Amino acid sequence: MSEVLVTVERGQLVESLHRGDIAIVSANGDVVSSVGDIEKVVFARSSMKPLQTIPIIETGAADHYHFDDGDLALACASHNGEKQHTERAASILSRLDLEVANLQCGTHPPRRQEAYEELIKSGGDVTPIHNNCSGKHSGMLATAKHMNETVDDYYKIEHPVQQRILSVISELTDVPVDDIQIGIDGCGVPVHGVPLRNLALGFARMADPSGLKESRQQSIRRVTDAMMNAPEMVGGTSRFCTDFMKHMNGKMFGKVGAEGVYCVGVPKAGIGIAVKIEDGNARATNAVIMEILSQMDLINEQEAEALESYHRPTLLNARKEKVGMLKPVFSIYQKA
Amino acid sequence: MSEVLVTVERGQLVESLHRGDIAIVSANGDVVSSVGDIEKVVFARSSMKPLQTIPIIETGAADHYHFDDGDLALACASHNGEKQHTERAASILSRLDLEVANLQCGTHPPRRQEAYEELIKSGGDVTPIHNNCSGKHSGMLATAKHMNETVDDYYKIEHPVQQRILSVISELTDVPVDDIQIGIDGCGVPVHGVPLRNLALGFARMADPSGLKESRQQSIRRVTDAMMNAPEMVGGTSRFCTDFMKHMNGKMFGKVGAEGVYCVGVPKAGIGIAVKIEDGNARATNAVIMEILSQMDLINEQEAEALESYHRPTLLNARKEKVGMLKPVFSIYQKA
């Protein structure tokens, strides 16, 4: 069963709490540590995007369409819909000779409020390019176009774009294709359900691909280097993914997924970390990741200080007064 | 311990779930039914607003400043920041000879996206009047002004405005003033922590005040009638509080509180219902309330149909496709 990972305190009271599960796995599949139930099947949601980016490289689409680190990082992104993101997505689409209308991800307002306000003030419309997944969809279109496949239905599970992704996920997580649970994501494409342990294994292999075939090693390193070299593309201003990778400065990569998922790969330690908050609330994930890295001594004082507001977030009210805080309360070294 | 109340399903998988506690109590204090731990102390947050509105009437401020049902309902509100709400709050302030600057609630964008967009497009600024609590704060100012008290510090726990509120809450929930836990709300005023059972008792007495002194009975009925007569003021367009009271048409009243709290009073049955979602997620509360009322047979077919989307909410993606649903999974008649 999921364990209490984070308490939400207001005044002297624990007002709410978040349960969840943690899997820490090495690239050879060993479970380094765990909290809760790591065999629970979870939809990885957007935390799977780094794995989903691999086919862009392996089909040759990335080279053909001149994807740089920023483009690959945007394909891994759940971005803020800031200009830096939408302009890059537009640039990818124009290289493909496609348009915003080809994105099948649907629309939602830019995640960052300032970007949303700016758009409205300028008289602009919210379009699929503002969808936090527009980079991923642009990348999917790149592979479809490059492989001479249809571009209208790339989001369907039976399309070669999705089948290539499914193969990569199966290979990296050690879950047979037929055992991967499929749902539909917020942006219309398939989401992949695997045991939390296997999700962590996937990130461990992204962190240390040395046991994989040479070409796969290269494509994986190109993806994770891109994320760590262009972290501003993976999230955006004031987002954990971005600030985390900026401050960790090449030491590790991380990616959020909806419904309280977060995954990290630590190349030097050769491990992958996967976290799922039982109730799906994203507010607890950053604190959990920071606490795990702190307990494992994988983060130095300077990094810890720079990321403190993510580790023990304070709750501010509309008057900007501190009224509470989130507090990680688990130990990865103490079994239930 | 909290029990699983609602599952969040995507495809064939339970992706997330929400645990929580339910107290159903009659006006004489009997526990009619319960799920989970009803002795748990919870911050009632904004679900306490109907009780907090009583002093506006009992000080004479409501009559002096010509509060109608809409004004009293707005004092009970966590509103959308629509024009109907901000204009009414402005009207109350002008009757008090006060200004928006006197509201000490801080600012946040209007809750309703369309209201926010409209404001930005019109070149307007977000001010404290758009804060979902601006009605409550206007009501607090009304009592301070009417009682010739200071208006600059009405939000502090030691101010007579807050002390009167504390007394009413203590009397209605049967929790001694000194045992009420105090925290600070999102809008800067005190929040009140009482056992869930006592919160339900407070709503039971709001639903059936017949055991209380005559003047208190009258002030309570004036508050709850106002909520049921002007439900559009309590929340706004597409909000559960509003749609629920509209469709229940005088049969019951309900009020949301932050961090997954919801309370209902059912006058005919003489009961109060209080729900707390352990993880604080508001998305689960409506489904829980609808399920309780359905299990208790307090809702007819027509009402159930009108409120079905709150009872079993579907999850839509950005393409407007149904990708999942929330499902209540508890029974109030089966003890753990």
Side-chain angles (χ1 to χ4, degrees):
Chain A
M1 188 176 134
S2 301
E3 293 180 27
V4 178
L5 301 184
V6 171
T7 55
V8 182
E9 305 187 3
R10 179 179 300 267
Q12 302 305 306
L13 199 66
V14 172
E15 182 170 29
S16 302
L17 58 84
H18 299 286
R19 298 172 192 273
D21 310 283
I22 299 171
I24 306 172
V25 176
S26 68
N28 65 11
D30 288 345
V31 176
V32 176
S33 182
S34 74
V35 176
D37 175 14
I38 64 172
E39 301 304 330
K40 182 194 278 180
V41 175
V42 302
F43 281 133
R45 304 293 299 268
S46 289
S47 71
M48 205 60 106
K49 281 171 178 165
L51 283 73
Q52 290 175 282
T53 297
I54 292 171
I56 307 177
I57 296 165
E58 296 188 347
T59 55
D63 286 337
H64 184 79
Y65 293 115
H66 310 291
F67 272 58
D68 63 11
D69 278 348
D71 297 331
L72 287 171
L74 192 71
C76 299
S78 302
H79 66 69
N80 271 342
E82 298 170 56
K83 268 200 177 145
Q84 59 177 339
H85 306 119
T86 57
E87 285 175 356
R88 188 175 284 274
S91 152
I92 297 173
L93 288 173
S94 99
R95 277 174 266 158
L96 305 179
D97 227 354
L98 294 176
E99 296 170 356
V100 175
N102 292 103
L103 293 172
Q104 302 282 348
C105 49
T107 59
H108 65 71
R111 276 206 177 176
R112 185 166 164 78
Q113 188 181 303
E114 287 83 346
Y116 182 36
E117 277 194 16
E118 202 178 299
L119 180 70
I120 299 297
K121 274 185 187 159
S122 72
D125 289 320
V126 177
T127 78
I129 206 131
H130 301 101
N131 187 308
N132 76 89
C133 303
S134 65
K136 176 181 73 175
H137 282 251
S138 299
M140 289 174 172
L141 280 166
T143 60
K145 196 81 196 287
H146 184 62
M147 301 296 283
N148 287 312
E149 295 155 2
T150 52
V151 294
D152 294 343
D153 54 351
Y154 70 88
Y155 61 91
K156 294 182 177 162
I157 186 73
E158 60 270 21
H159 192 284
V161 164
Q162 302 304 334
Q163 288 297 312
R164 277 189 295 269
I165 286 171
L166 207 49
S167 289
V168 169
I169 291 173
S170 171
E171 289 162 21
L172 289 178
T173 62
D174 263 3
V175 179
V177 166
D178 289 347
D179 292 348
I180 296 176
Q181 293 240 21
I182 300 295
I184 299 173
D185 208 344
C187 64
V189 295
V191 282
H192 308 89
V194 298
L196 193 68
R197 186 175 58 80
N198 298 74
L199 182 55
L201 174 62
F203 266 73
R205 285 175 168 169
M206 294 288 284
D208 173 12
S210 59
L212 309 176
K213 64 183 175 190
E214 183 60 30
S215 59
R216 176 60 54 87
Q217 288 188 38
Q218 282 174 17
S219 53
I220 283 177
R221 291 204 175 96
R222 195 161 156 196
V223 171
T224 55
D225 283 350
M227 291 174 74
M228 293 187 283
N229 289 337
E232 69 282 2
M233 283 300 133
V234 180
T237 309
S238 298
R239 288 279 302 279
F240 179 63
C241 286
T242 296
D243 290 345
F244 174 65
M245 287 192 283
K246 261 188 192 164
H247 288 292
M248 298 313 292
N249 196 21
K251 275 173 65 180
M252 45 189 95
F253 52 90
K255 183 67 190 71
V256 71
E259 290 289 328
V261 176
Y262 206 97
C263 296
V264 169
V266 189
K268 201 177 159 190
I271 58 165
I273 302 169
V275 170
K276 163 73 182 173
I277 304 298
E278 181 186 67
D279 59 72
N281 198 327
R283 72 174 169 182
T285 53
N286 306 342
V288 172
I289 291 296
M290 289 304 300
E291 180 65 17
I292 293 168
L293 296 174
S294 169
Q295 289 186 20
M296 295 186 82
D297 241 346
L298 289 171
I299 194 158
N300 67 34
E301 253 180 65
Q302 197 184 335
E303 293 154 352
E305 198 175 320
L307 296 164
E308 172 67 14
S309 66
Y310 291 108
H311 191 173
R312 295 179 192 87
T314 50
L315 299 177
L316 300 180
N317 65 15
R319 293 164 51 87
K320 315 283 182 210
E321 296 157 340
K322 182 182 168 181
V323 293
M325 68 178 301
L326 268 67
K327 199 187 280 180
V329 293
F330 62 92
S331 166
I332 58 167
Y333 296 113
Q334 195 180 313
K335 297 280 174 180
Chain B
M1 188 176 133
S2 301
E3 293 181 26
V4 179
L5 301 184
V6 171
T7 54
V8 182
E9 305 186 3
R10 179 178 299 265
Q12 302 305 306
L13 200 64
V14 171
E15 181 169 30
S16 301
L17 58 83
H18 299 286
R19 299 172 193 273
D21 310 283
I22 299 170
I24 307 172
V25 176
S26 67
N28 64 12
D30 288 346
V31 175
V32 177
S33 182
S34 74
V35 176
D37 175 14
I38 64 172
E39 300 305 329
K40 181 194 278 182
V41 175
V42 302
F43 280 133
R45 306 293 299 269
S46 288
S47 71
M48 205 60 107
K49 282 172 178 164
L51 283 73
Q52 290 174 282
T53 297
I54 293 171
I56 308 176
I57 296 164
E58 296 187 347
T59 55
D63 286 337
H64 184 79
Y65 293 114
H66 311 291
F67 272 59
D68 63 11
D69 279 349
D71 297 331
L72 287 170
L74 192 71
C76 299
S78 302
H79 65 69
N80 271 344
E82 298 170 55
K83 268 200 177 146
Q84 59 176 339
H85 306 120
T86 57
E87 286 175 356
R88 188 176 284 274
S91 152
I92 296 173
L93 288 173
S94 99
R95 276 175 267 159
L96 305 179
D97 229 354
L98 294 175
E99 296 171 356
V100 174
N102 291 104
L103 293 173
Q104 303 280 349
C105 49
T107 59
H108 65 70
R111 276 206 178 177
R112 185 166 164 77
Q113 188 180 306
E114 288 81 346
Y116 182 35
E117 277 194 14
E118 203 178 297
L119 180 70
I120 299 297
K121 273 184 188 160
S122 72
D125 290 320
V126 177
T127 78
I129 206 128
H130 301 101
N131 186 309
N132 76 90
C133 303
S134 65
K136 176 180 74 174
H137 282 252
S138 300
M140 289 173 173
L141 280 166
T143 61
K145 196 81 195 286
H146 183 62
M147 301 297 283
N148 288 312
E149 295 155 3
T150 52
V151 295
D152 294 341
D153 55 351
Y154 70 88
Y155 61 92
K156 293 183 177 162
I157 186 73
E158 60 271 20
H159 192 283
V161 163
Q162 302 303 334
Q163 289 297 312
R164 278 189 295 269
I165 286 171
L166 207 50
S167 290
V168 168
I169 290 172
S170 172
E171 288 161 23
L172 289 177
T173 62
D174 263 3
V175 180
V177 165
D178 289 345
D179 292 347
I180 296 175
Q181 294 241 20
I182 299 295
I184 299 173
D185 208 343
C187 64
V189 296
V191 284
H192 308 90
V194 297
L196 194 67
R197 185 175 58 79
N198 298 75
L199 182 54
L201 174 62
F203 266 74
R205 286 175 168 168
M206 294 288 283
D208 173 12
S210 59
L212 309 175
K213 64 182 176 191
E214 183 59 31
S215 60
R216 177 60 53 88
Q217 287 189 37
Q218 282 174 17
S219 54
I220 284 177
R221 291 205 174 96
R222 196 163 156 195
V223 171
T224 55
D225 284 351
M227 292 174 74
M228 293 188 283
N229 289 336
E232 70 281 2
M233 283 301 132
V234 180
T237 308
S238 298
R239 287 279 300 280
F240 179 63
C241 286
T242 296
D243 290 346
F244 173 66
M245 287 192 282
K246 260 189 191 163
H247 288 293
M248 297 314 290
N249 197 19
K251 276 171 66 179
M252 46 188 93
F253 51 90
K255 183 67 190 70
V256 71
E259 289 291 327
V261 176
Y262 206 97
C263 297
V264 168
V266 189
K268 202 178 158 189
I271 58 165
I273 302 169
V275 170
K276 163 72 182 174
I277 303 299
E278 181 186 69
D279 60 71
N281 198 327
R283 72 174 169 181
T285 53
N286 306 341
V288 172
I289 292 295
M290 290 304 300
E291 180 66 17
I292 294 168
L293 296 173
S294 169
Q295 289 186 20
M296 296 186 81
D297 240 347
L298 288 170
I299 196 159
N300 67 34
E301 254 181 65
Q302 198 184 332
E303 293 153 354
E305 198 175 320
L307 296 164
E308 172 67 15
S309 66
Y310 290 108
H311 191 174
R312 295 178 192 87
T314 50
L315 299 178
L316 299 179
N317 66 13
R319 293 166 51 88
K320 315 283 181 209
E321 297 156 339
K322 182 182 167 180
V323 292
M325 67 179 301
L326 268 67
K327 199 187 278 180
V329 293
F330 62 93
S331 167
I332 58 167
Y333 297 114
Q334 196 181 312
K335 298 281 176 180

